[in-house]
Amino acid sequence: GENVEQHPSTLSVQEGDSAVIKCTYSDSASNYFPWYKQELGKRPQLIIDIRSNVGEKKDQRIAVTLNKTAKHFSLHITETQPEDSAVYFCAASIFSGYSTLTFGKGTMLLVSP
Amino acid sequence: EPEVTQTPSHQVTQMGQEVILRCVPISNHLYFYWYRQILGQKVEFLVSFYNNEISEKSEIFDDQFSVERPDGSNFTLKIRSTKLEDSAMYFCASSEARDTLSYEQYFGPGTRLTVT
């Protein structure tokens, strides 16, 4: 089955800096890669996703890049703010009408004012 | 914006007891999922459900687990005889039909299950 590795496990940055979180996946058939943000005690919420037919997607301060050959994808957050502090999970799946998400172990991002 | 809801928010049960966790998916969604998250660990897939049957299940989803859509709105996860290691946050999620531009799974707020 699919295996997703995520690094780093914790990331501390100063407000205004950029943050990068990296994930690798094992199943070359995976074609859908969402990123979820989970604040303490709350539900995971989708912040951005990418499909295998594109290499990059951007939404304001958040961007995701995908390298299918190397089987890795990354989340980039620019101009970080304290409210970006949370645990971020990457996931991979084979989408076929529905998707069974395999999650990475998560990255705790701490943004200091 | 529509949301997935779950009840109860916290369930405490004794080892060996049966528990039923309840979820109300978003009304026009057709795919339903259960995930669990042991404290401090990653979210793990349990089962997906479509058209009143299981689409896929993980190794975690053994004979102690079952799912049901008893009516047009609820989606339940039953654990027949709970074990200490079943203590976790259980998330329900739902997603739209196959022919859609959105692949997003919407997560509920979770039920924290504590087995003593």
Side-chain angles (χ1 to χ4, degrees):
Chain A
E2 177 66 274
N3 183 49
V4 177
E5 299 288 339
Q6 183 173 348
H7 299 280
S9 55
T10 59
L11 179 59
S12 294
V13 300
Q14 291 291 121
E15 183 176 0
D17 288 350
S18 295
V20 179
I21 302 170
K22 298 183 179 183
C23 289
T24 60
Y25 62 99
S26 60
D27 190 343
S28 57
S30 288
N31 60 0
Y32 174 59
F33 308 91
W35 286 87
Y36 282 83
K37 176 183 180 182
Q38 187 179 30
E39 296 175 4
L40 189 63
K42 298 197 173 177
R43 72 186 80 194
Q45 293 199 295
L46 182 77
I47 55 170
I48 195 167
D49 57 9
I50 192 167
R51 304 179 194 183
S52 59
N53 58 343
V54 298
E56 185 172 358
K57 184 176 177 181
K58 196 170 181 179
D59 183 4
Q60 298 183 341
R61 296 187 296 109
I62 295 171
V64 57
T65 58
L66 171 65
N67 183 327
K68 287 192 299 181
T69 304
K71 288 190 281 189
H72 71 69
F73 56 113
S74 300
L75 177 72
H76 304 253
I77 306 174
T78 59
E79 300 171 31
T80 54
Q81 300 165 4
E83 50 266 39
D84 294 330
S85 296
V87 179
Y88 291 80
F89 290 96
C90 63
S93 73
I94 301 170
F95 185 83
S96 56
Y98 70 97
S99 55
T100 298
L101 299 177
T102 300
F103 285 86
K105 289 188 176 181
T107 296
M108 179 174 289
L109 174 65
L110 299 170
V111 182
S112 304
Chain B
E1 185 177 335
E3 287 189 333
V4 176
T5 59
Q6 290 184 243
T7 54
S9 57
H10 191 190
Q11 174 91 47
V12 181
T13 189
Q14 288 191 323
M15 197 166 50
Q17 295 297 303
E18 175 183 286
V19 294
I20 297 176
L21 310 183
R22 303 180 192 280
C23 168
V24 179
I26 293 173
S27 61
N28 65 332
H29 287 186
L30 297 180
Y31 293 92
F32 314 119
Y33 315 83
W34 284 101
Y35 293 84
R36 80 171 185 190
Q37 185 178 33
I38 295 171
L39 188 64
Q41 298 188 24
K42 67 177 177 180
V43 178
E44 300 175 290
F45 168 74
L46 293 179
V47 66
S48 59
F49 191 86
Y50 170 71
N51 201 25
N52 281 321
E53 59 183 28
I54 290 173
S55 306
E56 195 169 343
K57 59 183 180 179
S58 71
E59 293 175 351
I60 303 168
F61 194 88
D62 62 21
D63 292 344
Q64 293 299 313
F65 291 88
S66 63
V67 289
E68 191 178 32
R69 186 152 165 85
D71 54 44
S73 60
N74 289 284
F75 178 50
T76 62
L77 174 69
K78 182 193 290 186
I79 309 175
R80 288 190 183 81
S81 178
T82 50
K83 303 188 273 281
L84 293 176
E85 52 264 38
D86 293 328
S87 295
M89 179 73 90
Y90 288 80
F91 290 104
C92 173
S94 68
S95 62
E96 293 182 40
R98 180 183 295 267
D99 298 323
T100 177
L101 294 176
S102 172
Y103 292 3
E104 181 176 354
Q105 288 186 27
Y106 293 79
F107 281 73
T111 293
R112 179 162 298 287
L113 176 65
T114 303
V115 182
T116 62

